[in-house]
Amino acid sequence: MTWRLHPDVSTVDTDYGTVLLDGRDGRYWQLNGTASVAFRALADGSTVQEATERLMAVYDVDEPRARADVEGLMASLQQAKVVQQR
């Protein structure tokens, strides 16, 4: 499954990660460096497996932990309606 950012949500990369701003209601999310790597992979069209592999390549983390982090991020962003399935 792949997804895309909702059209009303904008992003900016910072020294600390990525900030997402929902223009519909002004809510924002600050993603740390780890979440930013996973988010960028997913936003670029990567699958969960590909995002997991990218996370493992950047950080010293095993596959079960990386996958759980990627899936948790996706679930949180979907629940907040920040992303939509393609």
Side-chain angles (χ1 to χ4, degrees):
M1 169 179 57
T2 60
W3 53 263
R4 64 182 173 86
L5 203 57
H6 188 281
D8 292 329
V9 176
S10 58
T11 66
V12 65
D13 291 323
T14 71
D15 291 339
Y16 307 103
T18 303
V19 176
L20 288 75
L21 174 63
D22 189 337
R24 297 168 290 183
D25 59 13
R27 290 185 303 161
Y28 69 93
W29 294 264
Q30 171 70 46
L31 305 181
N32 64 19
T34 306
S36 291
V37 168
F39 170 78
R40 287 293 172 204
L42 294 166
D44 290 343
S46 294
T47 64
V48 169
Q49 182 60 37
E50 292 166 337
T52 297
E53 291 169 4
R54 190 177 302 181
L55 200 56
M56 290 168 50
V58 174
Y59 293 98
D60 183 23
V61 61
D62 62 16
E63 185 170 0
R65 177 58 193 232
R67 179 175 286 280
D69 288 350
V70 170
E71 289 174 347
L73 174 65
M74 282 185 67
S76 294
L77 295 177
Q78 286 175 327
Q79 183 178 27
K81 296 183 173 63
V82 174
V83 296
Q84 303 169 328
Q85 286 185 337
R86 288 186 191 194

